[in-house]
Amino acid sequence: MKAKTALPVGQEAIREKGWWKAYRFLILRRASQAVFLSLFLLGPWFGLWLVEGTLAGSRTLGVLPLTDPLVLLQGLVAGHWPELTALTGALIVLVAYALLGGRSYCSWVCPINPVTDAAHWLHDRLDLPKGWQPKRHTRLWLLGAVLATSALTGTIAWELVNPITMLHRGLVFGLGFAWALVALVFLFDLFVSRRGWCGHLCPVGAFYGLVGHKSLLRVTASKRAACDGCMDCFAVCPENHVISPALRGKGAETPLILSPDCTNCGRCIDVCSVDVFAFTHRFDPRIEATPEPSPDAPDEMAA
Amino acid sequence: MSPQRRRFLTDTARMAAGCVLAGSGLAWLARDARALPAEALRPPGALPEKAFLAACIRCGLCVRDCPYDTLSLAELGEDGAATGTPFFTARDVPCEMCDDIPCVAACPTGALDKGLTDIDDARMGTAVLVDQENCLNFLGLRCDVCYRVCPVIDEAITLEVSHNDRSGHHAIFAPTVHADHCTGCGVCEKSCVLPEAAIKVLPTRLARGTPAEHYRKGWEEMEEKGAPLVDGVIDLPDRLPGPGTDNLAAPGGFEPAFKLPEGASQ
Ligand code: SF4
Ligand code: SF4
Ligand code: SF4
């Protein structure tokens, strides 16, 4: 259960750091999501063809190809060896996410993220029960099932139901009934399973998690000694099991959040009133010693 | 068995069962998605449908680069083709058969095969004159529109002349498609003047039969060989039209052995 503190989540940060610093990464993230979507919409809406195509495959400024590596991988196992353009595009995307954190895709680019975030916000508001909580690695199993199905049917199987590309393509090319799938994801997260889709099931997130396994960009809890145990970071983190090892590490244990599940959303940085967290790279083991760790910090955290 | 081990095994079994279930659901959808409806045509150079569904990533770049807005991406639940894949409907906007084939050039995956360099070699489907009863040319008029608009005129469609039995002294110019040359662009279907086109482009699998392997066309083989296939065959005189038909003047005709009773229909 969430340990409620005297102040609602994030209030202390607003008071200590000001509104902008307490919401900075959330706002930047929404802006990034909006930019990624509108780049694709500038063409069909205003005739500005900077980026053409969809998230599955695009062409920027008429030259730069980008391809969704998971879609291409499904095509590969289904038996099609793609042309160089698509391969190049996938390679660029893979390298980018291998450096920036695979699941940065989830929090900074994916058009479904605002949907599931909205569901979670409402879920909190209505104080609904957690509901069904499948194991975190369920999504890896599903990823395996998706690839197996692609191989067995000889089709790019996940694209038949993938709410991400359906929503994105729908907005850029025409939605059809794809909105129903998106609504389904929203309702699932709201009533069936808290943070269920992105946190437990989505095979795309699982794939990007694998891609960013050793990514350079990481969040560090280098000032963990300053933690006052308010638990706000646990409350906002969509994958809050990733925090404990870094935040509760003893002595020389790394302060880096090294779990590939971390989406690099930066919300923990926002809501921490004492600025325990910061973005850094994975070879930055610095732990900033604050003489006295707060005495009332709980030593065992429930994820 | 230790409780942890038991737990691990049941968890794994449960997960595997869930995945098999999810996978089967997907596979069922995938099977459905292969059934491309007859009026949805793939862009030029598209791989055979099964291979196409493994290759096309549904990026829509072919759609963007088509200068005639021929192509669109199938929308979930509205268009029959697999969601997100490109297609066109001939009667709405046919393919104008661009010389530089921009749709193929745009495709990053090879779902539209770059091996297609001459648009005349495209095989998007095959035109079929499906309704001879309503086709104006078959009724004896000179509409000729499908023939005139065909980009491969006189090869993909010809007008085959025959006698108009109804009027007795006119000709019928039957629009006749030759599948070897038809690209399936759909311009003929688009242009047919009837409220519902009498000529339609169908997927080739529906439009065509296949030759029977064991049936050998003697006349072709004879031409190849330059002599009768079987030596010593006696060539009997052919029965030519003559008395009893309306071509009484033809020489070499035979008088019928008996006269049909007066008033009997032929
Ligand atoms: S050949 Fe031209 S008109 Fe036909 S689908 Fe391709 S781009 Fe469009
Ligand atoms: S460009 Fe190729 S991969 Fe993209 S939608 Fe068209 S056929 Fe599919
Ligand atoms: S579809 Fe019609 S217009 Fe196009 S090549 Fe075939 S016969 Fe000609």
Side-chain angles (χ1 to χ4, degrees):
Chain A
M1 274 307 333
K2 209 184 317 176
K4 296 271 183 203
T5 41
L7 283 172
V9 175
Q11 286 304 308
E12 211 174 339
I14 298 175
R15 194 153 52 182
E16 293 295 320
K17 312 197 291 186
W19 191 85
W20 165 247
K21 284 197 86 182
Y23 281 106
R24 188 170 37 153
F25 284 108
L26 182 62
I27 292 165
L28 286 176
R29 217 154 56 75
R30 292 286 177 254
S32 154
Q33 290 161 345
V35 164
F36 274 102
L37 184 59
S38 42
L39 278 177
F40 285 90
L41 289 172
L42 283 178
W45 286 5
F46 306 109
L48 272 172
W49 298 103
L50 302 178
V51 181
E52 292 166 273
T54 64
L55 275 183
S58 64
R59 190 176 53 203
T60 302
L61 298 173
V63 283
L64 174 73
L66 294 175
T67 317
D68 183 322
L70 178 57
V71 178
L72 207 64
L73 180 62
Q74 291 173 73
L76 267 172
V77 299
H80 176 77
W81 182 257
E83 274 176 18
L84 206 59
T85 315
L87 286 172
T88 316
L91 198 69
I92 297 174
V93 173
L94 280 175
V95 169
Y97 285 115
L99 292 176
L100 295 177
R103 297 210 59 207
S104 298
Y105 172 84
C106 301
S107 52
W108 294 82
V109 179
C110 180
I112 285 290
N113 176 275
V115 176
T116 54
D117 272 0
H120 181 252
W121 177 83
L122 194 60
H123 187 281
D124 250 11
R125 267 295 154 96
L126 301 177
D127 214 9
L128 294 170
K130 256 185 177 179
W132 181 48
Q133 294 289 291
K135 293 213 161 47
R136 294 270 173 193
H137 61 250
T138 307
R139 54 187 165 203
L140 284 169
W141 280 78
L142 273 178
L143 176 61
V146 159
L147 290 174
T149 312
S150 292
L152 291 174
T153 58
T155 59
I156 297 180
W158 184 241
E159 287 311 287
L160 295 168
V161 290
N162 187 355
I164 303 167
T165 44
M166 288 230 192
L167 175 61
H168 188 263
R169 190 174 52 234
L171 293 173
V172 180
F173 280 92
L175 202 52
F177 282 94
W179 62 265
L181 268 176
V182 178
L184 220 62
V185 170
F186 180 86
L187 294 176
F188 177 78
D189 265 27
L190 183 57
F191 294 118
V192 182
S193 173
R194 170 177 178 269
R195 289 208 191 275
W197 179 258
C198 302
H200 301 268
L201 298 183
C202 177
V204 180
F207 175 80
Y208 278 111
L210 292 177
V211 170
H213 209 81
K214 291 272 172 269
S215 78
L216 210 53
L217 182 67
R218 289 292 170 181
V219 173
T220 176
S222 61
K223 286 205 245 162
R224 63 189 175 198
C227 170
D228 60 8
C230 75
M231 302 291 283
D232 280 5
C233 53
F234 287 91
V236 293
C237 180
E239 302 273 354
N240 54 23
H241 59 286
V242 309
I243 295 182
S244 291
L247 185 62
R248 300 290 159 222
K250 293 274 178 297
E253 279 169 358
T254 180
L256 293 164
I257 294 181
L258 288 176
S259 165
D261 288 347
C262 169
T263 69
N264 277 346
C265 71
R267 269 306 270 160
C268 52
I269 308 177
D270 278 349
V271 297
C272 182
S273 58
V274 288
D275 279 334
V276 164
F277 300 95
F279 274 122
T280 184
H281 57 84
R282 75 180 297 121
F283 304 109
D284 172 17
R286 270 177 305 139
I287 304 171
E288 274 167 54
T290 313
E292 275 299 288
S294 174
D296 57 353
D299 46 22
E300 192 47 49
M301 290 294 156
Chain B
M1 212 187 306
S2 70
Q4 293 98 312
R5 192 171 162 72
R6 172 186 299 268
R7 201 180 146 74
F8 171 77
L9 286 179
T10 46
D11 276 356
T12 309
R14 195 181 292 163
M15 204 68 91
C19 284
V20 167
L21 221 66
S24 315
L26 259 187
W28 176 69
L29 283 176
R31 213 197 52 178
D32 241 31
R34 279 210 207 114
L36 186 67
E39 62 277 8
L41 301 171
R42 291 293 187 202
L47 300 175
E49 186 63 9
K50 195 160 178 279
F52 185 78
L53 288 182
C56 171
I57 57 170
R58 300 125 199 255
C59 66
L61 289 173
C62 51
V63 175
R64 288 291 181 241
D65 282 5
C66 174
Y68 300 98
D69 284 340
T70 299
L71 305 173
S72 43
L73 293 185
E75 293 177 21
L76 184 68
E78 302 209 330
D79 308 303
T83 310
T85 55
F87 75 103
F88 71 98
T89 311
R91 191 65 165 169
D92 296 342
V93 192
C95 165
E96 297 289 345
M97 289 178 58
C98 316
D99 278 332
D100 49 348
I101 331 182
C103 49
V104 172
C107 179
T109 60
L112 308 182
D113 190 353
K114 297 262 190 310
L116 179 72
T117 47
D118 181 353
I119 189 66
D120 285 349
D121 294 335
R123 292 295 174 265
M124 297 169 261
T126 306
V128 183
L129 203 141
V130 288
D131 189 358
Q132 302 190 355
E133 287 167 277
N134 283 310
C135 169
L136 298 177
N137 267 36
F138 268 85
L139 293 176
L141 289 92
R142 290 298 302 274
C143 160
D144 292 3
V145 166
C146 57
Y147 164 76
R148 296 252 161 243
V149 296
C150 176
V152 206
I153 185 170
D154 280 326
E155 290 179 73
I157 304 194
T158 54
L159 295 177
E160 301 294 320
V161 185
S162 61
H163 178 65
N164 185 342
D165 278 338
R166 182 181 53 79
S167 74
H169 50 266
H170 294 97
I172 283 177
F173 291 78
T176 306
V177 176
H178 304 276
D180 284 351
H181 296 283
C182 171
T183 63
C185 69
V187 171
C188 53
E189 177 177 342
K190 169 70 182 174
S191 315
C192 178
V193 300
L194 297 178
E196 176 74 47
I199 189 165
K200 290 195 163 86
V201 177
L202 301 177
T204 304
R205 80 190 142 89
L206 295 182
R208 302 211 64 191
T210 47
E213 287 294 335
H214 62 280
Y215 188 84
R216 304 171 61 180
K217 294 171 185 157
W219 57 95
E220 278 178 5
E221 297 197 5
M222 196 162 111
E223 198 172 356
E224 228 166 77
K225 193 178 170 202
L229 282 180
V230 183
D231 291 330
V233 175
I234 315 159
D235 194 16
L236 292 169
D238 298 319
R239 227 182 204 272
L240 293 177
T245 70
D246 63 356
N247 189 2
L248 298 164
F254 297 95
E255 219 29 90
F258 60 92
K259 282 251 181 312
L260 288 170
E262 208 51 41
S265 64
Q266 287 199 2

Coordinates of all heavy atoms in Angstrom, one line a residue, chain A residues 30 33 110-119:
Chain A
R30 N 5.3 15.5 -21.7 CA 4.1 15.7 -22.5 C 4.4 16.5 -23.8 O 3.9 16.2 -24.8 CB 3.0 16.5 -21.7 CG 2.5 15.7 -20.5 CD 1.5 14.6 -20.9 NE 1.1 13.9 -19.8 CZ 1.5 12.6 -19.5 NH1 2.3 12.0 -20.3 NH2 1.1 12.0 -18.4
Q33 N 5.9 14.1 -26.2 CA 4.9 13.3 -26.8 C 4.1 14.1 -27.9 O 3.9 13.6 -29.0 CB 4.0 12.7 -25.8 CG 4.6 11.7 -24.9 CD 3.8 11.5 -23.6 OE1 3.0 12.3 -23.2 NE2 4.1 10.4 -22.8
C110 N 5.8 7.2 -26.9 CA 4.6 6.4 -27.2 C 3.3 7.2 -27.0 O 3.1 7.8 -26.0 CB 4.6 5.2 -26.3 SG 3.2 4.2 -26.5
P111 N 2.4 7.1 -28.0 CA 1.1 7.9 -27.9 C 0.1 7.2 -26.9 O -0.9 7.9 -26.6 CB 0.6 7.9 -29.3 CG 1.2 6.6 -29.9 CD 2.5 6.5 -29.3
I112 N 0.4 6.0 -26.5 CA -0.5 5.4 -25.6 C -0.2 5.8 -24.2 O -1.1 5.8 -23.3 CB -0.4 3.8 -25.7 CG1 -1.1 3.3 -26.9 CG2 -1.0 3.1 -24.5 CD1 -2.6 3.5 -26.9
N113 N 1.0 6.3 -23.9 CA 1.4 6.7 -22.6 C 0.4 7.7 -22.0 O 0.0 7.6 -20.8 CB 2.8 7.2 -22.5 CG 3.2 7.7 -21.2 OD1 3.0 8.8 -20.9 ND2 3.8 6.8 -20.4
P114 N 0.1 8.8 -22.7 CA -0.9 9.8 -22.1 C -2.2 9.1 -21.8 O -2.9 9.5 -20.8 CB -1.1 10.8 -23.2 CG 0.1 10.6 -24.1 CD 0.6 9.2 -24.0
V115 N -2.6 8.1 -22.5 CA -3.9 7.4 -22.3 C -3.8 6.6 -21.0 O -4.6 6.7 -20.1 CB -4.2 6.4 -23.4 CG1 -5.4 5.6 -23.1 CG2 -4.4 7.2 -24.7
T116 N -2.7 5.8 -20.8 CA -2.6 5.0 -19.6 C -2.3 5.9 -18.4 O -2.7 5.7 -17.2 CB -1.5 3.9 -19.7 OG1 -0.3 4.5 -20.1 CG2 -1.9 2.9 -20.7
D117 N -1.6 7.0 -18.6 CA -1.3 8.0 -17.5 C -2.6 8.6 -17.1 O -2.9 8.8 -15.9 CB -0.4 9.1 -18.0 CG 1.1 8.7 -17.7 OD1 1.3 7.6 -17.2 OD2 2.0 9.5 -18.0
A118 N -3.5 8.9 -18.0 CA -4.8 9.5 -17.7 C -5.6 8.5 -16.9 O -6.3 8.8 -15.9 CB -5.5 9.9 -18.9
A119 N -5.6 7.2 -17.3 CA -6.3 6.2 -16.6 C -5.8 6.1 -15.2 O -6.5 5.9 -14.2 CB -6.1 4.8 -17.3

